[in-house]
Each structure stands twice: as C-alpha cells, then as structure tokens.
C-alpha cells in the first residue's frame, strides 16, 4: 500500500535490468509451482504413514504417559502439515473452476496457515473479527483463497519496517452477501492514486520480485463472484461477495 505522498512505481519495462531480474524470479516460482501437486501427493502419503504408526504405537499398554504425549505431538504435527499441504495444493493447481460451499472463517484459517511463519518472523500482530451466524457461500475456492492471500501479502508489505505492525481481517454480512475487509496499520493509500492500485503491472514498492498484479487479480475474483474490491480509508481493502443460490452461476 502506498504511504501518503508515495509515488507509484512504474510497470515492468524489460529494458531495465532490475525488472528483467524480477520477471525471471517470478518465472522461477511458476516453474516450482508446477511441481507442487506431485510433491504434495508423496508428502501426504508419508505423513499418513507417520500418523498411522504413531497412533498404533500409542495404543500399546506398555507405552509410558510421556511417550504417549510425544506420540500425540507427532500426530498433531503431521495433521497440521497435512492441512498446510492441502491448502497449498488448492491454490497451486492449474487455473480451473472449483466451486464449493465454503465457510469463509475456515477459508481464512487455511490461508493464514500459509502465512503463519512469515507473519511471526515479521512480528506482525494479526487480528480477526468474524461475525456470528455467517452462512457458507458457494465460491470458487482456489481463486478466492488466492485473492485473500494477495490482500494479506499486500498488507504484510504495507507494514514492513513500521512500528506496531498490525493486520486485521474482518468478515461480516452485507445486504446481499458477505464482505471481507483487510486493514493494516501501514498508513493507507493516498487518495490521489488509490484507483491506480488495481491496475495491472502497477506497484507502490520499489523493491522485491512482485509484478504489481495482486490487487488487480483480487478485484477480478471479486467481480467473478458478483462483488467488487475497493479501498476505504477506514476499513482498508473491502472485497465483497454476492450471495448466490445457484452454484452454476460461478462456472
């Protein structure tokens, strides 16, 4: 997010050595991503074996309470690893519709699992405000996960190097659907250039390997769900989703 008075960094220009390096780095990530599905399949098989053996061993009456506790930690850790792998796989798969009836609170948990380490290392305090009584919504699960991931990564970048780093996600009902708000303590967007934040290949950051596509793609996801993505000075980025009664409307 741009600080007040911060200029827009121009889009990718291949005559610039730094921009070529950024593009090559992103291409490298893309190639690694193509291997994710195969690797995660093997990892899940190994995790399943570890969990099964640990659970079987814990049933042995000769196992001491301390050993049983450690076996329980193995099962708990393997379960968390499996959830991480599942969440990563769902957003790394090829771009195709995957319509599901989804709990947005659960979706948030799965995305945060991917960012847990980075947020801790960056000493970011995360706050969540989820309204009670939220009903599951039919959404394109991988695309909505990616949109939320982009918004959180944008917030992470916005508070980088700041004091009192806070990122907050609020999920609440609207008249015709649900709104996901992502706010950070980084200072907000300059009103004069706020609209430019959603243009492709536009960035407010002068360093890193990003291409300035995150907010643009997140807005596309919102519009695909009948909603919109806008910036509000008090609420941050607000991604709305229109409630649909027919899941086929998203296909």
């Amino acid at each position: 997010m741009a600080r007040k008075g911060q200029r827009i960094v121009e889009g990718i220009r291949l005559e610039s050595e730094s921009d070529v390096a950024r593009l090559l780095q992103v291409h490298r990530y893309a190639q690694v991503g193509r291997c994710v599905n195969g690797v995660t399949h093997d990892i899940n098989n190994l995790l399943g074996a570890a969990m099964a053996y640990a659970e079987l061993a814990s049933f042995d009456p000769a196992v001491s309470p301390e050993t049983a506790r450690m076996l329980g930690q193995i099962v708990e850790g393997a379960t968390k690893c499996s959830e991480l792998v599942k969440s990563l796989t769902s957003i790394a798969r090829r771009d195709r519709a995957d319509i599901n009836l989804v709990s947005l609170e659960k979706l948030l948990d799965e995305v945060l699992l991917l960012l847990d380490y980075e947020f801790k290392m960056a000493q970011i305090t995360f706050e969540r405000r989820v309204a009670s009584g939220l009903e599951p919504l039919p959404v394109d699960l991988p695309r909505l996960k990616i949109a939320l991931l982009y918004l959180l990564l944008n917030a992470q970048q916005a508070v980088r190097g700041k004091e009192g780093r806070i990122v907050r996600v609020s999920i609440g009902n609207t008249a015709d659907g649900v709104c996901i708000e992502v706010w950070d303590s980084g200072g907000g967007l300059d009103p004069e250039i706020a609209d430019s934040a959603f243009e492709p290949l536009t960035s407010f950051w002068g360093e890193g390997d990003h291409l300035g596509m995150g907010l643009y793609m997140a807005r596309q996801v919102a519009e695909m769900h009948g909603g919109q993505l806008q910036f509000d000075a008090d609420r941050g980025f607000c991604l709305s989703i229109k409630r649909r009664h027919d899941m086929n409307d998203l296909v």
Side-chain angles (χ1 to χ4, degrees), residues 156-163 165:
Q156 178 189 14
Q157 185 74 38
V159 299
R160 184 178 181 181
K162 304 292 182 179
E163 296 292 333
R165 294 177 285 275

Side-chain angles (χ1 to χ4, degrees), residues 112-174:
L112 289 176
L113 198 58
L114 296 175
L115 294 174
D116 183 61
Y117 177 80
E118 287 196 35
F119 272 39
K120 285 180 179 177
M121 291 298 100
Q123 297 182 324
I124 296 174
T125 299
F126 180 78
E127 299 177 355
R128 59 190 297 158
R129 299 178 180 176
V130 180
S132 59
L134 282 177
E135 297 181 2
L137 286 180
V139 300
D140 188 320
L141 182 57
R143 288 191 176 97
L144 188 56
K145 273 188 178 181
I146 291 175
L148 181 54
L149 181 65
Y150 286 150
L151 292 177
L152 287 170
L153 288 172
N154 183 73
Q156 178 189 14
Q157 185 74 38
V159 299
R160 184 178 181 181
K162 304 292 182 179
E163 296 292 333
R165 294 177 285 275
I166 301 173
V167 172
R168 180 173 66 236
V169 174
S170 305
I171 305 177
N173 291 305
T174 63

